[in-house]
Amino acid sequence: MAFLKKSMGAAKKSKMTDTNLLLTITIVVFVAMYLAAVLFLGEGFLKPQAFFNMLNQNAALIIVSCGMTLVMITGGIDISVGGVVALVSMSCAVHLDHNGGSILEAVLLALGIGLAFGLIQGFLVAYLEIQPFIVTLAGMFFARGMTTIVNATQFNVAHEGFVKLKDTRIIMPEIFGTLNKHGKFIPAYIEIGVVVAILVVVILFCVLRWSKTGRKFYAVGDNNQSALMLGINVKRTKFTAHVICGLLAGIGGFVYFLHVGSGSPSHASGMEMNAIAASIIGGTMLSGGVGNIVGALFGVLSLSTIKDIVSSMGFDEAWWTGITVAAMLCIFLIIQSIVTARKSSSVAKSDG
Amino acid sequence: MTTADTKKKNKPNVSELFGKIFKRQIFIPIAAVLVLLLFNLIVDPGFFSIELTRNSAGNPVLSGNLITILNNGSELAILVLGMTLVTAASGGQDISVGATIAIAGSIILRIVCGTDAKADSASFGIVLVAFLVACVASMAFGAFNGALVSIFKIQPMVATLILFTAGRSIAAWINNNQLPTVSDPSFGYIGGFIPGIPIPTPFIITVICIVLMALLLKFTNLGLYSQAVGINESSSKLNGINPIFIKFLTFVILGLCTAVCGLIKVSRVSGITYSVIAQDIEMDAILAVALGGNALGGGKFNMAASIIGAYIIQILTTTLYAYKIESTALSAYKAIVVIVLVIVSAPAVRNKTKAFFAKLKAKAAAERKEVA
Amino acid sequence: MKDNVVLEMRNIHKYFPGVRALQNVDFTLCEGEIHALMGENGAGKSTLIKVLTGVYEKDEGQIFLKGKDKAVAIHSPQDAQKLGISTVYQEITLCPKLSVAENMYIGRLNGIGVNWRKLNKDADAILESLDIPAKATQQLGSCSLAVQQMVAIARAVDMDCKVLILDEPTSSLDEQEVAKLFKLMRDLKSRGVGIIFVTHFLDQVYEVCDKITVLRDGQLVGEYEIKDLPRVKLVAKMLGKELDDTTEIKDTSLVYDKEDAGKHVLEVEGLASVSGIKPFDFYINKGEVNGFTGLLGSGRSECVRAIFGADKVVSGTVKKDGKVIKINKPIDAMKNGIAYLPEDRKRDGIIGDLSVRENIILALQVLKGFFKPLSKAEANKFAEEYIKLLEIKTASADTPIKSLSGGNQQKAILARWLLTHPEYLILDEPTRGIDIGTKIDIQKLVLKLASEGMSITFISSETDEMLRTCSRLVVMRDRKVVGEVSGDDMNQSKIMSTIAGGESK
């Protein structure tokens, strides 16, 4: 915790904003954790492919977490995202396999489902002023229920074009590649989903940092009464956040589908909670107004790293993962609570 | 002439009365129950039939959809008692209750079954001990949540996310990932029927819990304090209330509720499945609180409305089952009903409809004037 | 519309369920004019402001602006902003987690992108020109409340507004800051901005304003030139009746004169709390009214908060009737017969959603203990008794307290503490932000209670109010007790010189 104290001291001096402070902590923790894993657990983590696999496996979660972060910045929450991902992958699977649809249609279907959820939930939350938790809870129930109505069992997609797309690997530059024990060169690769995820992160980061709309999300989450007085259309801003989050859940759903290549009612179960956890670890506060998209990326990577570390340390039983993730969440929450306390005490002092 | 006069006199009173009833918080949940029951009455009056039959053990039991509702709604009703208090005092919800129920259930089975993961006999004594240990453990987990919320000032939903993530893993870990079962039929009495009593035991337990909660609210200031803390923490503090303790206390009470639910749950199936037991019950409990018209942001609460909210969810579930809707697809229908309910009771919508009716009234009055 | 008129509101009506908040109100504002909008609480000032800024929609009437031929429609704060109407509210309506610069520019940036370098540079330039001690990149929440307020004004200033509304802007500023604000207002005035100034401080009105519009019960009383309306008349217009001179409240017959009159009820030695006040000594006699005075932020509230146990005490002793008592938490103080009416009514006083009844009985209830709730009948009896006694205007005891006017809320909080029958009552700014009628009621009540033997500490920003009620004043500066005035010494100039650091110690 020494570094925490130090960085907080530094923050006090330079008057760092909460957003940047929490982000710095997240990145430092992630790098420290990964380095520790490389040092103590060695080889497995040293291979660049290990890192790329982490991205491959979590591309969908990264995209969904970005949407979650955005909604959380505005002070809301969206717990329907896991359900939407499941519904999207099931619908696309059924469309491709049973209806013989094309991939483009499937993509549009995914976007359409996500957008529909975003629009309806956004309308209910922003314009009818119903609590986001309840609205998106109903959204989650609906999406999960619809998934089984679309198709009740798991099945793998055999659609030719899709399988080809699913197996497409983007080869990384040679220096990331490794030699296997026979001395054969194995290039490092990422999946298409990762490219999508990185695009989403970059675009959303720019929007939040440098666009007028982006800054409105922060203002609304910080204090929506004030935001209204400052001339911001609070309702529209909240609506937009939910629509984007829904859309990203749709995109995330397709990326998830692309990664697993099957439809199942139990897909993406608990994904909403993972996304919330990733956002929190990434320095987003549920109370709104503080958060960062890059944080969401590092949040997902941190979650994934800790899972890898736990399993490679020999704690193979499934429950250890749950417990460690929870412990990590606990630590980050306490850090956030300390940051908030630091701020209120400094205000009290300067108030005189 | 005179009748017209009395009519004139009575009319505003009647509308006033309606206005008063409409304004009461408990109106919407009761109306929802009535609508659901009316729907069943119209579509299939047989929904309401109650029979006295004998179960496989030859004991008299009541059966029928209404009994199913009262029976299956028990866990939710018990849970809602604690959840309402937590919501009122801390302005947030505990999403770890499902996981804590799993832990409580796991602890009970661990003590009853020992390390063999099997028990042929379960004496009353050992079940009682197991239950008490589970109570202590659940209250400890409640205290953990409560401490995070009250001392570290973390939002309840986020704080309880920790146990939500870890809870079921801990439950599995307690029994070393085995799935213990109890074959002693008397263990099943708690979640089923006690020989000789045709009323489902869970319902009896629920009634006891509700009575206890009513007594607690009547003979202590818990209700007033938790509302005060939920509305204005800083002010409560200056009035000598300890907000940290009150919030902490509500979480511990909720912990106790989860232990009772855990006991009923494991008794119903005489076993446990870690990932399935009390699945999504936290969502249902929160929904019940909201359906009762309580603000999820804390403050004023109405316990009776919350309890009715819990039974609304159960009536809905049972109704849907009665129409042969698959259990996995159930949630979609549930969601639609929930959305309709929250839209109807949303303040924004209510204000608009009120304004609309006021306009109609004004228009009618103006027309009457013109005619006169 | 005359040439130099920037804003004209005509026949404004606004209804709320059961209330006619505004009835046929006219309001005219000229260029380069500072126009005070006066009225008691509930007179309709805030409603009129909110109609003008688009927070509420008016039910009838027209609003005209200079340069627009037709009546303008204002449906939202954005509309108002676009039309050049800016508002600075009493409560800070900025976003504390964003930077200072962002708070100044958000909601009114052109284009899609945000050019941070330019934004910060512009913001710094404005802050510097207005002499505001804040940096553009600083997080707003790390500034003091007064600076936050000034940032809000800076924002409005930079928006090139034609009409600037200042809604009680001075209530959280100290005198120097108020002076700075007035300088700023005069500066804007010379640039032709029309300023609407809403305040409860009469002195300030006469210091800066040109015209006064008075509202009462949602209706227009009239518009006056400042020189035509002396203070006494203004107060009469606001209250709707001729007021007996307020300075004569101090009734010499109201003095506690039993034999234990000189006895110290409470003695404090070297008390200091986490809030950073220097250790101070203090005592209060039976049946005495004393006060803490000093500039805003001098530590007046912190002293009494330390006595009440609201801030964590770090050193010192408190003696009651000669015996040392331990006060760690408010409940300890309450058990020792101390009551504290806090400074910030909204934040620390009322429990908004609870009924008036529950708010009144709360402290007594807490004193009785967790396991002994008052019966419904008892609670009702107490509530009705005090509603009548203090003339609290409420529809019923069941009404949520938040729907009462500020003055009546304050009376209910006062009732809460009187119900506990305290020996020592601390009133921290009991008259802030409430109407003059209630102010006088409260001052009279204080004197009456003291004459019955209650010891009272009375804190107020208005020195003349303290002079009227208190018999002894503790003077504070920079979180330190710097002196005490009583008896014949008690006058404005002596207090001022003590505050400023004159000869007394």
Side-chain angles (χ1 to χ4, degrees), chain A residues 134 137 141, chain B residues 28-30 32-34 36-37 40 47 65 68-70 72-77 79-80 83 279-293 305-321 330-331 333-335 337-339 341-342:
Chain A
I134 293 300
L137 179 64
F141 279 147
Chain B
I28 293 254
I30 288 183
V33 169
L34 292 179
L36 281 171
L37 292 181
N40 280 314
F47 186 85
N65 284 323
T68 312
I69 290 168
L70 292 181
N72 291 350
S74 301
E75 288 95 325
L76 198 53
L79 210 50
V80 149
M83 190 66 91
Q279 202 182 18
D280 287 343
I281 202 169
E282 53 275 341
M283 303 299 176
D284 279 346
I286 297 167
L287 213 52
V289 174
L291 288 181
S306 283
I307 296 168
I308 295 172
Y311 284 107
I312 291 176
I313 295 172
Q314 194 56 50
I315 295 171
L316 192 62
T317 312
T318 310
T319 308
L320 290 172
Y321 276 138
L330 190 77
S331 54
Y333 297 91
K334 220 190 222 171
V337 176
V338 167
I339 282 292
L341 265 177
V342 288

Coordinates of all heavy atoms in Angstrom, one line a residue, chain A residues 134 137 141, chain B residues 28-30 32-34 36-37 40 47 65 68-70 72-77 79-80 83 279-293 305-321 330-331 333-335 337-339 341-342:
Chain A
I134 N -33.9 -1.0 -11.8 CA -35.1 -1.8 -12.0 C -35.3 -2.0 -13.5 O -35.6 -3.1 -14.0 CB -36.3 -1.1 -11.4 CG1 -36.2 -1.0 -9.9 CG2 -37.6 -1.7 -11.8 CD1 -36.2 -2.4 -9.3
L137 N -32.8 -4.4 -14.8 CA -33.1 -5.7 -14.2 C -34.2 -6.4 -15.1 O -34.1 -7.6 -15.4 CB -33.6 -5.5 -12.8 CG -33.9 -6.8 -12.0 CD1 -32.7 -7.7 -11.8 CD2 -34.4 -6.4 -10.7
F141 N -34.0 -9.9 -17.3 CA -34.9 -11.0 -17.3 C -35.5 -11.2 -18.7 O -35.6 -12.3 -19.1 CB -36.1 -10.6 -16.3 CG -35.8 -10.9 -14.9 CD1 -36.3 -10.1 -13.9 CD2 -34.9 -11.9 -14.5 CE1 -36.1 -10.3 -12.6 CE2 -34.7 -12.1 -13.2 CZ -35.2 -11.3 -12.2
Chain B
I28 N -51.0 0.7 -5.3 CA -50.6 0.0 -6.5 C -50.3 -1.5 -6.3 O -50.8 -2.3 -7.0 CB -49.3 0.7 -7.1 CG1 -49.8 2.1 -7.6 CG2 -48.7 -0.1 -8.2 CD1 -49.9 2.3 -9.1
P29 N -49.5 -1.9 -5.3 CA -49.3 -3.3 -5.1 C -50.6 -4.1 -4.9 O -50.8 -5.1 -5.4 CB -48.4 -3.4 -3.8 CG -48.2 -2.0 -3.3 CD -48.7 -1.1 -4.4
I30 N -51.5 -3.5 -4.1 CA -52.8 -4.3 -3.8 C -53.5 -4.4 -5.1 O -54.1 -5.4 -5.5 CB -53.6 -3.6 -2.7 CG1 -53.0 -3.8 -1.4 CG2 -55.0 -4.1 -2.7 CD1 -53.7 -3.2 -0.2
A32 N -52.3 -4.4 -8.1 CA -51.6 -5.4 -8.9 C -52.1 -6.8 -8.5 O -52.3 -7.6 -9.4 CB -50.1 -5.2 -8.8
V33 N -52.1 -7.1 -7.2 CA -52.5 -8.4 -6.8 C -54.0 -8.7 -7.3 O -54.2 -9.8 -7.8 CB -52.5 -8.5 -5.2 CG1 -53.2 -9.8 -4.8 CG2 -51.1 -8.4 -4.7
L34 N -54.8 -7.7 -7.1 CA -56.2 -7.9 -7.5 C -56.3 -8.1 -9.0 O -57.1 -9.0 -9.5 CB -57.1 -6.7 -7.1 CG -57.3 -6.5 -5.6 CD1 -58.1 -5.3 -5.3 CD2 -57.9 -7.8 -5.0
L36 N -54.1 -9.4 -11.0 CA -53.5 -10.7 -11.3 C -54.6 -11.8 -11.0 O -54.8 -12.7 -11.7 CB -52.2 -10.9 -10.6 CG -51.0 -10.3 -11.2 CD1 -49.8 -10.4 -10.3 CD2 -50.7 -10.9 -12.5
L37 N -55.2 -11.6 -9.8 CA -56.1 -12.6 -9.4 C -57.4 -12.6 -10.2 O -57.9 -13.6 -10.6 CB -56.5 -12.4 -7.9 CG -55.4 -12.7 -6.9 CD1 -55.8 -12.5 -5.5 CD2 -54.8 -14.1 -7.1
N40 N -56.8 -14.4 -13.4 CA -57.0 -15.8 -13.3 C -58.4 -16.2 -13.1 O -58.9 -17.3 -13.6 CB -56.2 -16.3 -12.0 CG -54.7 -16.4 -12.4 OD1 -54.4 -17.0 -13.4 ND2 -53.9 -15.8 -11.5
F47 N -58.3 -22.0 -11.0 CA -57.0 -21.6 -10.4 C -57.1 -21.4 -8.9 O -56.2 -21.6 -8.2 CB -56.7 -20.2 -11.0 CG -55.3 -19.7 -10.6 CD1 -54.2 -20.1 -11.3 CD2 -55.2 -18.8 -9.6 CE1 -52.9 -19.6 -10.9 CE2 -54.0 -18.3 -9.2 CZ -52.8 -18.7 -9.9
N65 N -53.3 -23.8 -6.4 CA -52.4 -22.8 -6.8 C -52.2 -21.7 -5.7 O -51.1 -21.2 -5.5 CB -53.0 -22.1 -8.1 CG -52.7 -22.9 -9.3 OD1 -51.7 -23.6 -9.4 ND2 -53.7 -23.0 -10.2
T68 N -49.7 -23.0 -3.3 CA -48.4 -23.0 -4.0 C -47.8 -21.6 -3.8 O -46.6 -21.4 -3.5 CB -48.5 -23.3 -5.5 OG1 -49.3 -24.5 -5.6 CG2 -47.1 -23.5 -6.0
I69 N -48.7 -20.6 -4.1 CA -48.2 -19.2 -4.0 C -47.7 -18.9 -2.6 O -46.6 -18.4 -2.4 CB -49.3 -18.2 -4.4 CG1 -49.6 -18.3 -5.9 CG2 -48.9 -16.8 -4.0 CD1 -50.9 -17.6 -6.3
L70 N -48.5 -19.2 -1.6 CA -48.1 -18.9 -0.2 C -46.9 -19.7 0.2 O -46.0 -19.2 0.9 CB -49.3 -19.3 0.7 CG -50.5 -18.4 0.6 CD1 -51.6 -18.8 1.6 CD2 -50.1 -16.9 0.8
N72 N -44.4 -21.2 -2.0 CA -43.2 -20.8 -2.7 C -42.8 -19.4 -2.5 O -41.6 -19.0 -2.7 CB -43.4 -21.1 -4.2 CG -43.4 -22.6 -4.4 OD1 -43.2 -23.4 -3.5 ND2 -43.8 -23.0 -5.7
G73 N -43.7 -18.5 -2.1 CA -43.4 -17.1 -1.9 C -42.7 -16.9 -0.6 O -42.3 -15.8 -0.3
S74 N -42.6 -17.9 0.2 CA -42.1 -17.7 1.6 C -40.7 -17.1 1.7 O -40.5 -16.1 2.4 CB -42.1 -19.1 2.3 OG -43.4 -19.6 2.3
E75 N -39.7 -17.7 0.9 CA -38.4 -17.2 1.0 C -38.3 -15.8 0.7 O -37.6 -15.0 1.3 CB -37.4 -18.0 0.1 CG -37.2 -19.5 0.6 CD -38.1 -20.4 -0.1 OE1 -39.3 -20.1 -0.3 OE2 -37.7 -21.6 -0.4
L76 N -39.0 -15.4 -0.4 CA -39.0 -14.1 -0.9 C -39.6 -13.1 0.1 O -39.0 -12.1 0.4 CB -39.7 -14.0 -2.2 CG -39.4 -12.8 -3.1 CD1 -37.9 -12.6 -3.3 CD2 -40.2 -12.9 -4.4
A77 N -40.7 -13.5 0.7 CA -41.3 -12.7 1.7 C -40.4 -12.4 2.9 O -40.3 -11.3 3.4 CB -42.7 -13.3 2.1
L79 N -37.1 -12.7 3.0 CA -36.0 -11.9 2.5 C -36.3 -10.4 2.4 O -35.5 -9.5 2.7 CB -35.5 -12.4 1.2 CG -34.1 -12.3 0.8 CD1 -33.3 -12.9 1.9 CD2 -33.8 -13.1 -0.5
V80 N -37.5 -10.1 1.9 CA -38.0 -8.8 1.7 C -38.0 -8.0 3.0 O -37.8 -6.8 3.0 CB -39.3 -8.8 0.9 CG1 -40.1 -7.6 1.3 CG2 -39.1 -8.8 -0.5
M83 N -34.6 -6.8 3.4 CA -34.2 -6.0 2.2 C -34.8 -4.6 2.3 O -34.2 -3.6 1.9 CB -34.6 -6.7 0.9 CG -34.0 -6.0 -0.3 SD -32.2 -6.2 -0.4 CE -32.0 -7.7 -1.3
Q279 N -31.2 -19.0 -6.9 CA -30.7 -18.2 -8.0 C -31.6 -17.0 -8.3 O -32.8 -17.1 -8.3 CB -30.6 -19.1 -9.2 CG -29.6 -18.6 -10.2 CD -29.5 -19.5 -11.4 OE1 -30.4 -20.2 -11.7 NE2 -28.5 -19.4 -12.2
D280 N -31.0 -15.9 -8.5 CA -31.7 -14.7 -8.9 C -32.7 -14.2 -7.8 O -33.5 -13.3 -8.1 CB -32.5 -14.9 -10.2 CG -31.6 -14.9 -11.4 OD1 -30.4 -14.5 -11.3 OD2 -32.0 -15.4 -12.5
I281 N -32.6 -14.7 -6.6 CA -33.5 -14.3 -5.6 C -33.3 -12.9 -5.2 O -34.2 -12.1 -4.8 CB -33.5 -15.2 -4.4 CG1 -34.8 -15.1 -3.6 CG2 -32.3 -15.0 -3.5 CD1 -35.1 -16.2 -2.6
E282 N -32.0 -12.4 -5.3 CA -31.7 -11.0 -5.0 C -32.4 -10.1 -5.9 O -32.9 -9.0 -5.4 CB -30.2 -10.7 -5.0 CG -29.4 -11.1 -6.3 CD -29.0 -12.6 -6.3 OE1 -29.0 -13.2 -5.2 OE2 -28.7 -13.1 -7.4
M283 N -32.5 -10.4 -7.2 CA -33.2 -9.6 -8.1 C -34.7 -9.5 -7.8 O -35.3 -8.5 -7.8 CB -33.0 -10.1 -9.5 CG -31.6 -10.3 -10.0 SD -30.7 -8.7 -10.0 CE -29.1 -9.2 -10.4
D284 N -35.3 -10.7 -7.4 CA -36.7 -10.8 -7.1 C -36.9 -9.9 -5.8 O -37.9 -9.2 -5.7 CB -37.1 -12.2 -6.8 CG -37.4 -12.9 -8.1 OD1 -37.5 -12.2 -9.2 OD2 -37.6 -14.1 -8.1
A285 N -36.0 -10.0 -4.8 CA -36.2 -9.3 -3.6 C -36.2 -7.8 -3.8 O -37.0 -7.1 -3.3 CB -35.2 -9.7 -2.6
I286 N -35.3 -7.3 -4.6 CA -35.2 -5.9 -4.9 C -36.4 -5.5 -5.7 O -37.0 -4.4 -5.4 CB -33.9 -5.6 -5.8 CG1 -32.7 -6.0 -5.0 CG2 -33.9 -4.1 -6.2 CD1 -31.4 -6.0 -5.8
L287 N -36.8 -6.3 -6.6 CA -38.1 -6.0 -7.4 C -39.3 -5.9 -6.4 O -40.1 -5.0 -6.6 CB -38.3 -7.2 -8.3 CG -38.9 -6.9 -9.6 CD1 -38.1 -5.8 -10.3 CD2 -38.9 -8.1 -10.5
A288 N -39.3 -6.8 -5.5 CA -40.5 -6.8 -4.5 C -40.5 -5.5 -3.8 O -41.5 -4.9 -3.6 CB -40.4 -8.0 -3.6
V289 N -39.3 -5.0 -3.3 CA -39.3 -3.8 -2.6 C -39.7 -2.6 -3.5 O -40.5 -1.8 -3.1 CB -37.8 -3.5 -2.1 CG1 -37.7 -2.1 -1.5 CG2 -37.4 -4.5 -1.1
A290 N -39.3 -2.7 -4.7 CA -39.7 -1.6 -5.7 C -41.2 -1.7 -6.0 O -41.9 -0.7 -6.1 CB -38.9 -1.7 -6.9
L291 N -41.7 -2.9 -6.2 CA -43.1 -3.1 -6.5 C -44.0 -2.6 -5.4 O -45.1 -2.1 -5.6 CB -43.4 -4.5 -6.8 CG -42.9 -5.1 -8.1 CD1 -43.3 -6.5 -8.3 CD2 -43.4 -4.3 -9.3
G292 N -43.4 -2.7 -4.2 CA -44.2 -2.2 -3.0 C -44.2 -0.7 -3.0 O -44.7 -0.1 -2.1
G293 N -43.6 0.0 -4.0 CA -43.7 1.4 -4.1 C -42.6 2.1 -3.2 O -42.7 3.3 -3.0
A305 N -46.3 -3.1 2.2 CA -46.3 -3.0 0.7 C -45.2 -3.9 0.1 O -45.4 -4.5 -0.9 CB -46.1 -1.6 0.3
S306 N -44.1 -3.9 0.8 CA -43.0 -4.8 0.3 C -43.4 -6.2 0.3 O -43.1 -7.0 -0.7 CB -41.8 -4.6 1.2 OG -41.1 -3.4 0.9
I307 N -44.0 -6.7 1.4 CA -44.4 -8.1 1.5 C -45.4 -8.4 0.4 O -45.3 -9.4 -0.3 CB -45.0 -8.4 2.9 CG1 -43.9 -8.2 4.0 CG2 -45.5 -9.8 3.0 CD1 -44.5 -8.1 5.4
I308 N -46.3 -7.5 0.2 CA -47.3 -7.7 -0.9 C -46.5 -7.8 -2.3 O -46.8 -8.6 -3.1 CB -48.4 -6.6 -1.0 CG1 -49.2 -6.7 0.3 CG2 -49.2 -6.8 -2.2 CD1 -50.2 -5.6 0.4
G309 N -45.5 -6.9 -2.4 CA -44.7 -7.0 -3.6 C -44.1 -8.3 -3.8 O -44.0 -8.8 -4.9
A310 N -43.6 -8.9 -2.7 CA -43.0 -10.3 -2.8 C -44.1 -11.3 -3.4 O -43.8 -12.1 -4.2 CB -42.5 -10.7 -1.5
Y311 N -45.3 -11.2 -2.8 CA -46.3 -12.1 -3.3 C -46.8 -11.9 -4.7 O -47.2 -12.8 -5.4 CB -47.4 -12.2 -2.3 CG -47.1 -13.0 -1.1 CD1 -46.8 -12.4 0.2 CD2 -46.9 -14.4 -1.2 CE1 -46.5 -13.1 1.3 CE2 -46.5 -15.1 -0.1 CZ -46.3 -14.5 1.2 OH -45.9 -15.3 2.2
I312 N -46.7 -10.6 -5.1 CA -47.0 -10.3 -6.5 C -46.1 -11.1 -7.4 O -46.6 -11.8 -8.4 CB -46.8 -8.8 -6.9 CG1 -47.8 -7.9 -6.1 CG2 -46.9 -8.6 -8.4 CD1 -47.6 -6.5 -6.3
I313 N -44.8 -11.1 -7.1 CA -43.9 -11.9 -8.0 C -44.2 -13.3 -8.0 O -44.2 -14.0 -9.0 CB -42.5 -11.6 -7.5 CG1 -42.1 -10.2 -7.7 CG2 -41.5 -12.5 -8.2 CD1 -40.8 -9.8 -7.0
Q314 N -44.6 -13.9 -6.8 CA -44.9 -15.3 -6.7 C -46.2 -15.6 -7.5 O -46.3 -16.6 -8.1 CB -45.0 -15.7 -5.2 CG -45.0 -17.2 -5.1 CD -43.8 -17.8 -5.7 OE1 -42.7 -17.4 -5.5 NE2 -44.0 -18.8 -6.5
I315 N -47.2 -14.7 -7.3 CA -48.5 -14.9 -8.0 C -48.2 -15.0 -9.5 O -48.7 -15.9 -10.2 CB -49.5 -13.8 -7.7 CG1 -49.9 -13.9 -6.3 CG2 -50.8 -14.0 -8.6 CD1 -50.8 -12.7 -5.8
L316 N -47.4 -14.1 -10.0 CA -47.1 -14.0 -11.4 C -46.4 -15.3 -11.8 O -46.8 -15.9 -12.8 CB -46.1 -12.8 -11.6 CG -45.8 -12.4 -13.0 CD1 -47.1 -11.9 -13.6 CD2 -44.8 -11.2 -13.0
T317 N -45.4 -15.7 -11.0 CA -44.7 -17.0 -11.4 C -45.7 -18.1 -11.4 O -45.7 -18.9 -12.4 CB -43.6 -17.2 -10.3 OG1 -42.9 -16.0 -10.1 CG2 -42.7 -18.3 -10.8
T318 N -46.5 -18.3 -10.4 CA -47.4 -19.4 -10.3 C -48.4 -19.4 -11.5 O -48.7 -20.4 -12.1 CB -48.1 -19.4 -9.0 OG1 -47.2 -19.3 -8.0 CG2 -48.9 -20.7 -8.8
T319 N -48.9 -18.1 -11.8 CA -49.9 -18.0 -12.9 C -49.2 -18.5 -14.2 O -49.8 -19.2 -14.9 CB -50.3 -16.5 -13.0 OG1 -50.7 -16.1 -11.7 CG2 -51.4 -16.4 -14.0
L320 N -48.0 -18.0 -14.4 CA -47.4 -18.3 -15.7 C -47.1 -19.9 -15.8 O -47.3 -20.5 -16.8 CB -46.1 -17.6 -15.8 CG -46.2 -16.1 -16.0 CD1 -44.9 -15.4 -16.0 CD2 -46.9 -15.8 -17.4
Y321 N -46.7 -20.5 -14.6 CA -46.6 -21.9 -14.6 C -47.9 -22.6 -14.9 O -47.9 -23.6 -15.7 CB -46.1 -22.4 -13.2 CG -44.6 -22.3 -13.1 CD1 -44.0 -21.8 -11.9 CD2 -43.7 -22.7 -14.1 CE1 -42.6 -21.7 -11.7 CE2 -42.4 -22.6 -14.0 CZ -41.8 -22.1 -12.8 OH -40.5 -22.0 -12.6
L330 N -39.8 -18.1 -18.4 CA -40.6 -17.3 -17.5 C -40.1 -15.9 -17.3 O -40.9 -15.0 -17.2 CB -40.5 -18.1 -16.1 CG -41.4 -17.6 -15.1 CD1 -42.8 -18.2 -15.4 CD2 -41.0 -18.1 -13.7
S331 N -38.8 -15.7 -17.3 CA -38.3 -14.4 -16.9 C -38.7 -13.4 -17.9 O -38.9 -12.2 -17.6 CB -36.8 -14.5 -16.7 OG -36.2 -15.0 -17.9
Y333 N -41.5 -13.1 -19.5 CA -42.9 -12.6 -19.2 C -42.9 -11.8 -17.9 O -43.6 -10.8 -17.8 CB -43.8 -13.8 -19.1 CG -44.0 -14.6 -20.4 CD1 -43.1 -15.7 -20.6 CD2 -44.9 -14.2 -21.3 CE1 -43.2 -16.4 -21.8 CE2 -45.0 -14.9 -22.5 CZ -44.2 -16.0 -22.8 OH -44.3 -16.7 -23.9
K334 N -42.1 -12.3 -17.0 CA -42.0 -11.6 -15.7 C -41.5 -10.1 -16.0 O -42.1 -9.2 -15.5 CB -41.0 -12.3 -14.9 CG -41.3 -12.3 -13.4 CD -40.0 -12.9 -12.7 CE -40.3 -13.9 -11.7 NZ -39.0 -14.5 -11.2
A335 N -40.6 -10.0 -16.9 CA -40.0 -8.7 -17.2 C -41.0 -7.8 -17.8 O -41.1 -6.6 -17.4 CB -38.8 -8.9 -18.2
V337 N -44.3 -7.8 -17.3 CA -45.2 -7.4 -16.3 C -44.6 -6.3 -15.4 O -45.2 -5.3 -15.0 CB -45.7 -8.6 -15.4 CG1 -46.6 -8.1 -14.3 CG2 -46.5 -9.6 -16.3
V338 N -43.3 -6.6 -15.0 CA -42.6 -5.7 -14.2 C -42.5 -4.3 -14.8 O -42.8 -3.3 -14.2 CB -41.2 -6.2 -13.9 CG1 -40.3 -5.1 -13.3 CG2 -41.2 -7.4 -13.0
I339 N -42.2 -4.3 -16.1 CA -42.0 -3.0 -16.8 C -43.4 -2.3 -16.8 O -43.4 -1.1 -16.5 CB -41.5 -3.2 -18.2 CG1 -40.0 -3.5 -18.2 CG2 -41.8 -2.0 -19.1 CD1 -39.2 -2.3 -17.8
L341 N -45.7 -2.5 -14.7 CA -46.0 -2.1 -13.3 C -45.2 -0.8 -13.0 O -45.7 0.2 -12.4 CB -45.7 -3.1 -12.3 CG -46.8 -4.0 -11.8 CD1 -46.3 -5.1 -10.9 CD2 -47.9 -3.1 -11.2
V342 N -43.9 -0.8 -13.3 CA -43.1 0.3 -12.9 C -43.4 1.5 -13.8 O -43.4 2.7 -13.3 CB -41.5 0.1 -13.0 CG1 -41.1 -0.8 -11.9 CG2 -41.1 -0.4 -14.3

